């Protein structure tokens, strides 16, 4: 109960926040809700007056045709006003909730662009997508019934005025009926909460079993576990059925009760009303008006229960969204120095980085790549080669020590400068689902640069062979490239920016060694670039000017390939191991 | 008793429906074509779920009586107005008797309605339960050919969201259909007993509403389609940004990503607002046409009341009856869409049940026994085998090979060459479309399922584990195995040190899909499973992804021990595996193009030789490097 209460209180805060963000459409929706309330009560008054002024006299003698048409017009106009109210309310409520979705989605995606890489890596992709999709969808859902619920207040006020003016005695019946309906409803929604939540949990359980079972279908099949799996699902489905039946049983009691109360109210009105009409205390029209008003008010009490349900879902979804929005943003450097012209050196000094307190990746790492030099970075899996590359590419900030390019510390460089001059090519060659050209230039690099980049990356020939050449669309709806081709495009993408520092993080692993050698030759001849290259294959390592070995978070040794082979037994073992582990047939 | 338009039921349904409409799954599979037409779906559905038909007529009879309850108040109004004031004098005894009788009727109908509601709910839930279990079981019995990676999501949806759509419909829609249509029928009947002329007026006023409603609904559905497309576009863009975030950040492409996502978000907003127009207007149609009916009834009753013989009470009752009609009409037009969704879901579910189960255990005919497989290592003969996935080209073409018992076989070939499919056929996870497979001299499709699973073991590349302890995961392979037998399996594979290193030993939880263990460790569990079963034929899918050196050593050591005294067929991703085997099978584009020993195949210009040469490319460079040294 207290949980529900605090949830409701937080729900109100969430709703106020929504309304404050988009007050205009919400105000229009409220105008619509009040218009509906007024027109609905007006309709009941028209019905009552129609009975007294038109129908009753017509059977006693007659009424003028103009009066009849006046009332016919009044009936239709009341309906049109009601409709106008409904349209205004529903449309504007939709505008409010959809605009709020835009607000939330923009904020969430903006956060994805600004949050630290480590945060993004720690959050599963599916979850990042769910925040922008179902969480946003669920968060704003409570906006839709809100104007109707708030409009209820107006409806009740108008209805009570109309009732009292029609007949104070009969309005007493209404004053007993409405609160009892409200209480009954509250009780109902409260009782149904637990089984509804339980049923939702059961749906989740059923779904989890189906997912797991079909994911592991190979194991299920090869071990003959089909009946075991069916039993498991049947048990979960049975629990779901039990919870659903509980809900059904509650509904079967409350739904008819909620129907019965207004009917009993109407019967009471008729019994008392007929007596008062015979006394001349009221007219038949008053009685009709009161019954019609009862009809109007009997059901809306239910919307409150519905709103409460939606509010709790909104709160849960908003909690998750706020969790995203409160993630840190990477600070933007305030003062920006510019880099010197010509070739740039790349260095790190006493560099430290850790994922968590206990999971230290780099510690006291020192490395200097001279301007124009090609250095190969080697080390066993999990020593932090990729982390070092990403630090050098400015994708995250170090915990301790310093990073410098061209002698300038990273924190003194603008992000744009850094990303223009230092290009990282990743292990996983992610390409955008767009044309080859767009993937190379992103609308900024020139097409000559793109052409040269493609040529040096040894990608010009196969791109030309694609259906539409540079205009060929890649990705799911377009052409699928092989791993090596993707890597070559990814490399060309980096080269098209004419970077002065190039970092290749195992970015040539799927490329044939002969082609790779040609690529590195082209790089030396046509680009003046400082290169750090993470490599596994001896063929790649042998092409570097110098080799740096990363071991236990620091650079353990540097030297030429030949020097290291001669002096470092671990290096020999490492290079030998690569030859046997790394190469795959398929 | 019904207000002009019940704003709550209206709101509840429409909100829920708008949400669903914009979230219907967007998938293009061809199942739907197989059962066309709503009636066909209904017929097949009722045949599949006999639970639904049980006692349906009693339920409908109940619904009629319950629906009658909604008409009691207008009738009472008519009675009181027409007969309560005979000749201007108040007829108290009649009024109180009528009111008392109606109150009694209302209460007893409420009790009956509880009964009828429970019947409906029970039938619906029993149906959903049975259908869900049946579909789940059927999907598990489908051939592996149906369980492709791309269809996995679809199959899960059949058991979850599709059935949930049906369940939602069964809870709201089905009951609503029965009650509302009976209310409409009964209201029209009662109206006719008062005056057929006025009934005609009402019907004529409502007739033009139907095409308008239909028109609006079509437009609304189209608008929701647009919403779905734009939602998918928006998500695709966000998904691309999220998966490519490293590139976006590393290359400073934030502004580009921002612009593109904003565009998609705005396009979705426009689609939403277009749909909202219809969503907002739909409900006013019933009210507007209803008011025309009210006006028409008023005018006809006033101007021609004496001719058609209708009194004050009957006219007022008529006005209330028109309002009783409005609610079911509004609700049904709303539910029509929900119904279409449910029928679509039902069609998909039924279509899955229509897919034949093609790996069936042999039927035991009179006097015959199912063939068991012999103990010990098993020979394999494959003769003229073809295989195709559903609606696809042949992935295996006329494959024939003889594998002697106890041989170590390596299967190599590029991705998509058919080597994995070949392995699946050896385990009878899928049946060939032509040709025959003999294991231990027995035709595989005639082998008893229990015996087959014991004697032939597949160790998949992704060692999927269930969310339970490591020990239970091993036991799944041999139900009834004792704890000490499981311990012994690990021990005999030389894995005791690995078990000791686990947090809780064999009781360590594997986690969802086995996520608590690394890929290599999951394969170790799969190997222990195979060791425990004492299989005579092992089919192994070598891991392609990198495994840390320690686990790598443990794996190859355990594999060596496991392979002793067994026939092994390994889908090899490493040439070192092929080098060490007795027989290499080389697949290319679904054909077995070469077979023989590594030493024989690696010379010449064959497919295997080319694979080997590309590997040698590296070693040559290494040789160069050593020359420099």
């Amino acid at each position: 109960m207290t949980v529900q209460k605090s949830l409701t209180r937080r729900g109100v805060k969430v709703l106020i926040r929504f309304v404050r963000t988009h007050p205009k459409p919400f105000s229009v929706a409220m105008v619509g809700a009040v218009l509906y309330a007024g027109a609905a009560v007006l309709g009941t008054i028209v019905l009552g007056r129609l009975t007294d002024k038109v129908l009753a006299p017509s059977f006693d003698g007659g009424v003028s045709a103009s009066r009849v048409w006046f009332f016919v017009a009044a009936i239709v106009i009341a309906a049109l006003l009601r409709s106008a109210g409904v349209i205004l309310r529903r449309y504007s409520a939709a505008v409010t909730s959809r605009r709020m979705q835009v607000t939330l989605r923009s904020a969430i995606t903006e956060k994805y662009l600004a949050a630290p890489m480590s945060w993004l890596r720690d959050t599963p992709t599916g979850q990042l997508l769910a925040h922008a999709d179902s969480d946003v969808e669920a968060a704003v859902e409570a906006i839709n019934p809100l104007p109707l619920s708030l409009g209820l207040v107006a409806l009740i006020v108008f209805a009570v005025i109309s009732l009292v003016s029609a007949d104070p005695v009969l309005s007493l019946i209404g004053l007993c009926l409405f609160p009892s309906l409200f209480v009954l409803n509250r009780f109902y929604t409260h009782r149904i909460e637990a089984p509804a939540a339980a049923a939702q949990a059961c749906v989740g359980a059923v779904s989890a079993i189906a997912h797991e079972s079909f994911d592991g279908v190979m194991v299920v099949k090869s071990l003959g576990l089909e009946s075991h799996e069916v039993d498991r699902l049947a048990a979960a489905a049975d629990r779901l059925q039990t919870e659903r039946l509980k809900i059904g049983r509650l509904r079967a009691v409350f739904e008819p009760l909620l129907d019965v109360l207004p009917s009993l109210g109407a019967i009471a009105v008729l019994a008392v009303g007929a007596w008062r009409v015979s006394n001349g205390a009221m007219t038949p029209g008053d009685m009709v008006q009161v019954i019609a008003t009862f009809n109007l008010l009997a059901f809306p009490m239910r919307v409150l229960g519905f709103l409460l349900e939606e509010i709790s879902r909104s709160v849960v979804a908003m909690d998750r969204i706020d969790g995203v929005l409160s993630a840190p943003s990477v600070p933007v450097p305030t003062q920006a120095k510019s880099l010197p012209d010509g070739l740039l050196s790349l260095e790190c000094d006493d560099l430290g980085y850790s994922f968590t307190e206990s999971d230290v990746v780099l510690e006291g790492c020192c490395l200097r790549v001279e301007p124009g030099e090609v250095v190969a970075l080697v080390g066993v899996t999990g020593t932090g080669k990729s982390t070092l590359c990403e630090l050098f590419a400015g994708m995250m900030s170090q915990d301790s020590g310093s990073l410098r390019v061209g002698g300038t510390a990273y924190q003194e460089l603008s992000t744009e400068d850094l990303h223009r001059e230092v290009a990282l090519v990743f292990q996983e060659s992610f390409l955008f689902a767009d044309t080859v050209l767009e993937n190379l230039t992103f609308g900024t690099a020139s097409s000559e640069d793109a052409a040269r980049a493609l040529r040096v990356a040894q990608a010009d020939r196969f791109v030309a062979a694609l259906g539409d050449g540079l205009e060929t669309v890649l990705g799911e709806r377009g052409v699928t490239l092989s791993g090596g081709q993707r890597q070559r495009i990814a490399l060309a993408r980096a080269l098209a920016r004419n970077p002065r520092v190039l970092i290749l993080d195992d970015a040539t692993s799927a490329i044939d060694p002969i082609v790779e050698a040609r690529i590195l030759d082209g790089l030396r001849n046509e680009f003046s670039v400082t290169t750090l290259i993470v490599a596994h294959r001896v063929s790649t390592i042998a092409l570097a000017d110098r080799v740096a070995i990363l071991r236990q978070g620091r650079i353990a040794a540097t030297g030429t390939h030949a020097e290291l082979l001669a002096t470092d037994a671990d290096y020999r073992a490492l290079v030998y191991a690569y030859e046997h582990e790394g190469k795959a047939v398929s | 008793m019904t207000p002009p338009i019940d704003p709550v039921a209206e709101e509840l349904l429409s909100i829920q429906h708008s949400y669903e409409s914009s979230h219907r799954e967007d998938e293009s599979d061809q199942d739907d074509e197989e059962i066309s037409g709503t009636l066909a779906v209904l017929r097949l559905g009722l045949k599949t779920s006999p639970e639904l038909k049980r006692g349906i007529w009693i339920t409908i009879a109940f619904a009629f009586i319950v629906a009658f309850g909604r008409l009691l108040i207008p009738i009472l109004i008519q009675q009181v107005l027409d007969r309560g004031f005979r000749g201007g004098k108040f007829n108290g005894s009649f009024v109180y008797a009528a009111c008392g009788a109606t109150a009694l009727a209302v209460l007893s109908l409420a009790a009956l309605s509880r009964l009828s509601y429970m019947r409906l709910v029970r039938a619906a839930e029993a149906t959903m339960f049975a259908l869900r279990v049946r579909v789940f079981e059927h999907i598990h019995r489908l051939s592996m050919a149906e369980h492709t990676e791309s269809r996995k999501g679809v199959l899960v949806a059949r058991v979850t969201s599709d059935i949930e759509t049906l369940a939602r419909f069964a809870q709201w829609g089905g009951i609503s259909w029965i009650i509302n249509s009976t209310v409409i029928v009964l209201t029209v009947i009662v109206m006719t007993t008062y005056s057929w002329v006025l009934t005609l007026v009402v019907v004529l006023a409502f007739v033009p509403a139907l095409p308008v409603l239909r028109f609006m609904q079509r437009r609304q559905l189209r608008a929701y389609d647009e919403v779905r497309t734009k939602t998918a576009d928006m998500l695709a863009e966000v998904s691309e940004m999220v998966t490519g975030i490293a590139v976006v950040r590393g290359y400073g492409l934030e502004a580009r990503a921002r612009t593109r996502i904003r565009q998609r978000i705005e396009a979705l907003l426009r689609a939403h607002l277009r749909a909202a127009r219809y969503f907002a207007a739909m409900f006013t149609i019933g009210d507007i046409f209803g008011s025309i009916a009210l006006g028409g009834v008023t005018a006809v009753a006033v101007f021609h009341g004496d001719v058609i013989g209708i009194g004050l009470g009957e006219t007022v009752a008529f006005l209330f009856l028109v309002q009783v009609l409005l609610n079911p009409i509004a609700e049904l037009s709303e539910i029509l869409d929900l119904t279409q969704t449910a029928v679509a879901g039902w069609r998909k579910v039924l279509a899955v049940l229509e897919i034949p189960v093609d790996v069936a255990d042999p039927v035991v005919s009179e006097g015959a026994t199912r063939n068991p497989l012999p103990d010990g290592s098993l020979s394999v003969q494959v003769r003229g085998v073809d295989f195709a996935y559903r609606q696809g080209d042949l992935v295996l073409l006329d494959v024939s090979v003889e594998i002697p018992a106890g041989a170590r076989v390596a299967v190599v070939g590029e991705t998509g060459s058919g080597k994995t499919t070949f392995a699946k056929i050896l385990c009878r996870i899928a049946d060939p479309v032509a040709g025959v497979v003999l294991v231990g001299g027995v035709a595989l499709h005639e082998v008893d399922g229990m015996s087959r699973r014991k004697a032939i073991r597949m160790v998949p590349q992704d060692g999927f584990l269930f969310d339970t302890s490591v020990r239970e995961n091993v036991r799944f392979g041999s139900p009834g195995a004792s704890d000490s037998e499981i311990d012994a399996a690990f021990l005999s594979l030389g894995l005791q040190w690995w078990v000791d290193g686990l947090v809780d030993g064999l009781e360590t939880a594997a986690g969802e899909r086995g996520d608590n263990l690394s890929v290599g460790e999951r394969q170790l569990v799969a190997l222990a499973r195979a060791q425990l079963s004492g299989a005579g034929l092992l089919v192994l899918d070598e891991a392609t992804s990198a495994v840390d050196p320690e686990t790598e050593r443990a794996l190859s050591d355990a594999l060596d021990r496991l392979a002793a005294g067994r026939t092994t067929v390994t889908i090899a991703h490493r040439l070192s595996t092929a080098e060490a085997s007795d027989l290499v099978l080389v697949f290319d584009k679904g054909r077995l193009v070469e077979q023989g020993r590594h030493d024989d195949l690696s010379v010449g210009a064959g497919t295997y030789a080319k694979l080997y040469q590309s590997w040698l490319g590296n070693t040559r460079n290494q040789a160069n490097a050593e020359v420099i040294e």
Side-chain angles (χ1 to χ4, degrees), chain B residues 252-586:
Chain B
L253 302 173
E254 286 92 344
R256 176 183 182 270
R258 187 177 297 128
T259 318
R260 290 172 66 111
I261 285 176
R262 283 277 161 81
Q263 279 168 358
R264 300 296 171 96
I265 291 178
E266 296 284 337
L268 175 60
L269 173 69
R270 284 192 295 277
H272 265 310
L273 293 187
R274 247 193 310 280
R277 273 189 231 155
Y278 300 105
F279 169 73
M282 274 290 267
F283 280 93
T284 61
I285 294 169
D287 197 10
I288 290 170
F289 282 95
S291 74
I292 293 170
L294 282 181
V297 167
T298 304
V300 174
V302 170
F303 294 134
H304 306 289
D306 41 350
V307 183
I308 54 178
I310 191 165
L312 171 66
E314 283 163 329
T315 311
V316 173
F318 230 94
L319 297 183
F320 277 90
L321 284 172
V322 169
Q323 296 179 355
V324 170
L325 263 187
L326 285 180
N327 191 43
I329 288 177
E331 224 173 87
L332 284 185
S333 65
E334 188 61 27
I335 278 170
L336 211 57
D337 189 24
L338 198 66
T339 310
Q340 284 171 341
T341 317
V343 169
W346 208 359
R347 174 178 293 137
K348 288 180 194 163
V349 168
L350 291 171
V352 166
L353 287 176
E354 291 289 284
I355 303 172
V357 177
D358 55 4
V359 182
D361 269 343
V363 182
V364 190
S365 51
E366 284 295 315
T369 50
R370 289 178 288 192
N371 292 319
L373 283 171
D375 289 338
S377 70
L378 297 165
S379 66
V380 177
Q381 282 101 36
V382 178
R383 289 176 193 160
V385 160
D386 289 349
F387 183 79
Y389 286 101
R390 201 160 73 102
Q391 298 160 345
D393 295 334
L394 287 179
V395 273
L396 283 184
L397 263 144
D398 194 22
V399 173
S400 298
V401 67
E402 298 269 337
I403 298 171
R408 276 186 171 217
V409 180
V411 185
V412 301
E414 290 186 12
T415 311
S417 61
K419 60 183 191 297
T420 309
T421 308
F422 175 73
K424 284 177 183 171
I425 281 179
L426 294 189
C427 307
R428 203 167 177 233
I429 282 170
D431 270 351
V433 292
V436 67
V437 178
L438 294 126
V439 174
V442 188
L444 195 54
H445 60 270
E446 286 170 7
V447 172
D448 170 54
M450 284 294 287
S451 168
R452 181 186 77 233
R453 287 178 197 121
K454 217 172 118 43
I456 306 175
R457 265 299 143 89
M458 175 137 195
V459 181
Q461 187 186 128
D462 175 31
F464 175 95
L465 298 183
F466 291 97
D467 190 5
T468 171
S469 69
V470 172
R471 183 188 296 283
E472 288 315 309
N473 266 293
V474 174
R475 208 195 309 270
F476 276 136
S478 319
S482 70
D483 281 2
S484 56
E485 283 173 313
I486 294 170
D487 293 336
F490 278 100
L491 191 66
S492 63
L493 291 179
L495 294 173
Q496 192 53 48
W497 64 271
W498 177 74
V499 173
D500 293 340
L502 292 174
V503 190
D504 290 322
L506 287 181
E507 311 313 324
T508 306
E512 227 176 282
R513 291 164 181 77
D515 278 347
N516 290 355
L517 304 182
S518 73
V519 178
E521 291 178 314
R522 274 179 258 163
Q523 276 210 326
L524 291 181
V525 176
L527 293 185
R529 218 184 243 159
Q531 172 79 348
L532 185 63
S533 76
L537 171 61
L538 285 176
V539 180
L540 306 161
D541 196 351
E542 216 167 55
T544 42
S545 46
V547 170
D548 65 276
E550 201 174 21
T551 313
E552 176 75 43
R553 263 193 303 279
L555 263 176
S556 65
D557 184 38
L559 262 175
D560 280 344
R561 297 181 188 221
L562 185 63
R566 295 187 163 105
T567 311
T568 59
V569 176
T570 306
I571 302 168
H573 299 290
R574 277 161 219 175
L575 274 167
S576 50
T577 311
E579 274 179 320
S581 65
D582 303 324
L583 178 66
V584 179
L585 303 180
V586 186

Side-chain angles (χ1 to χ4, degrees), chain A residues 229-245:
Chain A
E229 290 300 292
V230 170
D231 289 347
R232 212 152 68 96
L233 181 98
D238 188 52
R239 279 195 294 279
L240 174 61
Q241 188 185 14
T242 310
E243 294 304 327
R244 287 257 164 89
L245 282 178

Side-chain angles (χ1 to χ4, degrees), chain B residues 55-120:
Chain B
I56 186 82
W57 293 113
I58 303 175
T59 311
I60 288 177
F62 277 5
F64 255 90
I65 302 171
V66 172
F68 188 66
R70 293 210 200 164
L71 304 177
L72 285 173
I73 300 300
I75 294 172
L76 182 65
I77 294 171
Q78 178 260 324
Q79 290 291 323
V80 169
L81 283 180
D82 278 356
R83 294 169 67 183
F85 310 96
R86 257 304 129 70
K89 232 184 106 213
F90 178 54
N91 186 353
S93 57
F94 172 77
V95 169
Y96 298 129
C99 287
T102 311
L104 210 66
V106 163
L107 285 172
S108 40
L109 284 183
L112 191 63
S113 120
R114 178 181 179 277
L115 213 66
S116 132
Y117 192 90
M118 272 319 289
R119 286 184 67 91
L120 281 168

Side-chain angles (χ1 to χ4, degrees), chain A residues 487-549:
Chain A
Q487 284 195 336
R488 280 184 268 172
I489 300 266
L491 181 62
R493 169 171 66 195
L495 296 179
R497 307 166 73 81
N498 279 321
R500 287 193 277 169
V501 176
L502 185 64
I503 300 168
L504 305 176
D505 183 3
D506 205 10
T508 51
S509 57
I511 300 174
D512 192 84
I514 299 158
V515 177
E516 186 189 29
R518 258 187 254 145
I519 291 174
L520 292 179
D521 274 351
L523 264 179
R524 280 180 199 270
N525 298 335
E526 300 202 32
F527 284 83
S528 43
V529 61
T530 309
T531 310
L532 181 66
I533 176 167
V534 172
H536 282 143
R537 290 196 295 225
V538 181
S539 57
T540 319
I541 299 169
L543 293 170
D545 299 323
R546 212 149 50 93
V547 179
I549 308 170

Side-chain angles (χ1 to χ4, degrees), chain B residues 214-232:
Chain B
R214 201 75 200 103
F215 169 79
M216 293 280 283
Q217 211 196 7
R218 291 235 169 92
R219 299 294 292 266
Q220 191 182 20
L221 279 180
R222 215 169 304 152
Y224 281 142
D225 268 340
E226 179 80 0
V227 166
R228 271 193 294 281
T229 317
K230 297 290 181 212
T231 305

Side-chain angles (χ1 to χ4, degrees), chain A residues 50 54-56 59 68-69 72 75-76 79 82-83 87 89-91 94-95 98 102 105-106 110 112-113 115 120 125 128-129 133 137 141 148 206-207 211-225 228-230 233-234 237-238 240-241 244 248-249 251-253 256 260 263 267 270-271 274-275 277-278 295 299-300 302-303 306 330 395 419 424 426 430 432-434 438 442 493-494 497 513 537 539 561 579 583-586, chain B residues 1-3 6 8 10-12 14-15 19 23 73 76 85 90 96 99 102-103 110 113-114 117-118 121 125-126 129 132 136-137 139-140 142 144 147 152 155-156 159-160 164 171 234-235 238-247 249-253 256 258 260 262 265 268-269 272-273 276 279-280 283-284 287-288 291 295 298 302-303 310-312 315-316 319 413 453 457-458 464 466-467 476-477 513 529 573-575 611 615 618 621 625:
Chain A
L50 174 78
V54 178
L55 297 181
F59 294 102
V68 175
W69 291 121
V72 169
I75 290 172
V76 176
R82 277 198 300 269
S83 302
I87 290 176
R89 169 172 58 77
R90 290 174 76 120
Y91 184 74
V95 171
R98 300 310 176 188
V102 172
R105 284 204 171 107
S106 305
E110 197 56 43
Y112 291 170
L113 287 172
L120 289 165
T125 309
L128 292 175
L129 282 179
D133 179 26
E137 210 64 59
E141 217 46 51
L148 179 68
V206 165
S207 185
H211 267 286
E212 192 186 48
S213 192
F214 294 159
D215 266 358
V217 69
M218 281 283 275
V219 176
V220 171
K221 274 195 181 300
S222 57
L223 300 181
L225 295 173
H228 170 265
E229 290 300 292
V230 170
L233 181 98
D238 188 52
L240 174 61
Q241 188 185 14
R244 287 257 164 89
R249 223 165 279 137
R251 269 205 199 153
V253 172
V260 159
S263 291
I267 292 168
L270 277 166
W275 169 68
V277 168
S278 71
N295 281 351
F299 289 85
R302 287 191 194 189
V303 89
F306 180 65
V330 178
M395 295 193 51
H419 288 152
L424 168 61
F426 301 86
F430 172 85
F432 291 93
D434 212 319
E438 176 69 15
F442 300 114
R493 169 171 66 195
R497 307 166 73 81
R537 290 196 295 225
S539 57
H561 178 58
E579 278 311 292
K583 184 60 192 174
V585 173
S586 61
Chain B
M1 287 293 293
T2 319
D6 172 353
V8 179
E10 165 211 332
E11 205 72 24
L12 290 181
S14 61
I15 287 168
Y19 184 75
H23 272 73
I73 300 300
L76 182 65
F85 310 96
F90 178 54
Y96 298 129
C99 287
T102 311
S113 120
R114 178 181 179 277
Y117 192 90
M118 272 319 289
V121 168
E125 290 305 327
F129 171 79
R132 200 191 296 268
F136 182 83
E137 185 172 15
I139 290 176
H140 262 306
L142 291 177
M144 202 58 208
H147 286 273
K152 203 165 270 172
L155 293 178
V156 172
V159 188
T160 55
E164 275 309 300
Q171 284 172 339
M234 185 273 299
L235 283 178
V238 175
S239 160
E240 187 168 68
M241 177 191 79
V242 168
T243 43
I245 191 73
V247 175
R249 299 281 282 274
Y251 286 65
L253 302 173
R256 176 183 182 270
R258 187 177 297 128
R260 290 172 66 111
R262 283 277 161 81
I265 291 178
L268 175 60
L269 173 69
H272 265 310
L273 293 187
F279 169 73
F283 280 93
T284 61
D287 197 10
I288 290 170
S291 74
T298 304
V302 170
F303 294 134
I310 191 165
L312 171 66
T315 311
V316 173
L319 297 183
R453 287 178 197 121
R457 265 299 143 89
M458 175 137 195
F464 175 95
F466 291 97
D467 190 5
F476 276 136
R513 291 164 181 77
R529 218 184 243 159
H573 299 290
R574 277 161 219 175
L575 274 167
L611 282 170
W615 181 61
N618 288 335
N621 275 316

